[in-house]
Amino acid sequence: MDNFLFFLTSGLCIGAVYALIALGYTLVYGIIKLINFAHGEFYMIGAYAGFGIYLVLPSGTPAILSIPLIILSSGIAGIIIAVLTEQIAYKPIRKSGRLAALLTAIGVSFLLQNLASFINKANPLQYPSDKSGSIGEICQRSIVIGGGGIKIIQFVYIPLTIVLTLILWHIVMKTNFGRAMRAVSQDPDAAALMGIDINSVIRKTFLLGGLMAGIAGALIGFQSVIEPMMGFMPGLKAFIAAVVGGIGSIPGAVLGGFIIGIVENMVLFCNIPSGYKDVAAFVVLILVLLIRPQGILGSNVREKV
Amino acid sequence: MKKLKVLVAVLLIGGIYHSGVCGEIKVGINLPLSGNLTSYGKATLDGMKLKADEINAAGGINGNKLLLIIEDNKGDQTETRNAYKKLAGSDKVVAVLGPITSTNAIAVRRDAAEIKVPVISPTATNDSVTPRNPYMFRACFNDSFQGKIAANYAFNEKKFKTAAVLVDMNSDYSKGLCKNFKMAFEAAGGKIVTEENYQQKDTEFGAQLKKIKGSAAQTLFVPGYPPELPLIIKQAKVIGLESKLCGADGWDQESVINGSGPNIEGCFIVGAFSREDKRPAVQNFVSSFEKTYKAKPGTFEALGYDTVSMFCEALKKGTTPETIKDGLRGIKDFEAVTGKISVTPDGNVEKNAVILEIEKDGDKYVAKYKATVNP
Amino acid sequence: MSWFEFNSVLGNIGIFAILALSLNVICGMTGLLQLGQAGFFAIGAYAAGLTSIYFTFPELGVLNFAISASAAMMAAGIFSIILGIPCLRLKGDYLAIVTLGFGEITRLVLINLMFPGGKMHPGEKIGGATGIKFTEFPGDLWPNSPNYTAEFASWWFIWIAVIIICVFLINIKKSSFGRAMMCIREDEIAAQAMGINISKYKMIAFLLSAVVAGLAGALFFHKELSIAPGKFNLICSIEILLMIVLGGLGSFSGAVTGAVVLGITPYILRHVEICGYRLGEYQQLMYAVLLIILIRLAPNGIFGMNEVPVWIGKLLKMKNKPPAKQNETA
């Protein structure tokens, strides 16, 4: 029972991060039906940007000030890279079909990974934790739950995710912009006829997605290492989370994120060798696609001829 | 397109002309200069360059200067083989120094037997790197020796009766060392209570450390590399692991010794080299290195230096790959920085090892010399 | 470039040409986006490898290759059926993600799975992250055949296979099978309306694609003699995809061409230096940029859907066209 609590808590914490990334995926897919492979890289760039700001800040800055600053700058970096990617890479091929879009997304993902590799050639980065009171040190502080150490900072993830989700939900459901997003998502041509500026809506959607991903990047950056390939697996799992929860659905993305996080940790709980942890997410995906392809909270769309 | 062809042609011709005329001895360097082993690769290269510059400054070998042709193997098996094939096949070097990891060294065995250019690895310690292949050599001791020393020190000196091991499954070095440690520890009378493993690029070791904590082992042997190693050491403290950690030569890196937090104090490691060794060969090397690079040398720098020394020693018999191969085998009691080297018919090296303990020195940590163990 | 490098490079390009051909069956001809081809490549390589490690009979010589290749193709085929059945009702993006998942699961499982060492590696388990190897010293196991080598896949052996497979697949393309698959690519619902059994042809496409990839895997093992899961990753699958996009989706000779172009490039780059920057380091970066630009500017690749002879024919026809009738409205 002891162990179970540890793995459950771990699962919820990492699930919150997956949920944040999954929100970005689901928003973008809902709007332009594109699986943005590069979304995981937005997360990675957010982490690097946060670390970059940390390097620039004067060393005496108290953590209570620097941590929110880092999160904010990561979010902004996420926004910048997302909008840039949309403008340069995705917009020109919007009419070119599925394969072109997917391949371009893959290309962008590779490109960003390699650019990061050039900037960070050797060992992965980590917030230094030698000085007491430094960010790295604070983020390493843990309490023991269920026989295992959970880093205290991880407890911030769940409330942060919930708050951001609620804000996003409010935007999508209650504002004019949100209405425009939903319109474009349902039928872009009709929305254009109604006078909605499609380009602007798409751009702002990417903005929101990039923000979520960047913030998630900063959070993970605090408690783990930052390296160029760090976005690959979480990106993939977050996409699976979005699909499992129902792609296009905001609560679905969050639900999916938590499910994947918990399932992963349950694998460890059941004493299965830790190497198989990543497989869990894919197995869940295949099961869901077999049993309920639209996802748990997704809606079924029939293709009309 | 045409200009590119002309440029390539000029470069090729220039290359051929240059090597033929100037009486140089071309030696290939096959090291990881990018990727997660970069710091090891660079350290080894620094040591090698130091020796090569010293030789060239003294006029070279019989008037021929050493020309180092450097290839980056990125720490990857396929790239290592490609680098070897390029150096030995195209560039026609007389020997290839490197790679540094056991996994990559094992990968080039077949190619070395085929192309017949000797390979000297400064640091690959896995037992299967050198035997039954006349072209494979190393400058360091091997895992059966290292594992035994670690196990004996743990059992006899530190009086640990139970031990656990944590293996890096992606590394033949780690796997080989753990196997040897286990055998030797049990042969000495100790008990191995549990064995856990991890993959390269893992960042969370909570699950494995929990199990090790549960096994109540008195010591935990972790022969790994960064970036996993500092994380393991840090997380062991977080989880309240009481077992004392110990390791092998992969620990002897700044990023591990001063990058793992306070939990590293009191850990011991088996190493090939200690700066505090009073022998003149060591002190000369240390002061020369500090003068040139303004930094203190560690195991990898020392082994890189010794590899070039061994190579030059073999050159006394002749400068073709075949004579170098025979020359290497003939090395006996060669005074090197990392000890007295004798090459066995197997391509292995008989030399001593040192035990280092990590202690606090001001607000940093250093590996302090504790003992020398002879073969 | 020395003979050793050249031999190895040529062989590698050949194996990737076969992989490109295999992916073309399912992506180019049938229009199903499959991002897990590296998984079938891995299954074929491991099946061939394990078969060689457990069941090699030196007296049979080359027939040993036939045995391991058959095992590889069967294993890949079986897994393709297992993967194909759920994939039958998935469309577009979902199919891409599931196949990607399959590729990753295969790699992750192979990193963790250990196999018994058998007679070749007695007393230890083989597999895991460091992979499986054929013995370096055949004399230990078979004192009567100390010079036995399992390295059957020399460059010409591989390229004969490339040619045979290419011709075979082009013939399939021209047959009713091929036409049905291309129909599915164009418009699934229309194809169904025409009475084509979509499920049957999709399964055939999966099966054929996987079996050919499995064969490539067998050749790979018999060339390298040492394989590890690290090679069979998503980047590998995407490289294969890039080759057929470059050559033209749907064209088999284009797939081979794409493989040659993308295979030779790293080796040229390795030997070229511009202003002190060794281009070889930037290879992956260039691939990424190439992919993005290619999709924008030349989405049909070099040959489009046509095979090389057809393409040359069209090119010649265009040159011989009579000049436009400009003077008619005088």
Side-chain angles (χ1 to χ4, degrees), chain B residues 71 81 90 109 132 175, chain C residues 5 130 136 140 224 278:
Chain B
E71 284 291 325
R81 293 184 63 193
S90 304
R109 279 174 56 97
R132 303 177 72 175
K175 296 204 289 200
Chain C
E5 262 189 293
T130 44
E136 261 183 79
D140 291 356
E224 301 284 312
R278 307 182 70 191

Side-chain angles (χ1 to χ4, degrees), chain A residues 3 123 126 142 147 225 271, chain B residues 36 203 210-211 231 234 238:
Chain A
N3 256 340
N123 283 329
Q126 222 189 350
S142 325
V225 289
N271 264 323
Chain B
N36 60 316
T203 54
K210 255 170 74 74
K211 292 210 191 107
L231 292 172
K234 278 190 201 156
V238 164

Side-chain angles (χ1 to χ4, degrees), chain B residues 327-350:
Chain B
L328 283 168
R329 269 223 167 69
I331 292 181
K332 282 258 164 300
D333 292 335
F334 176 65
E335 267 299 331
V337 172
T338 52
K340 227 191 262 208
I341 296 183
S342 294
V343 178
T344 67
D346 246 354
N348 284 327
V349 149
E350 261 181 22

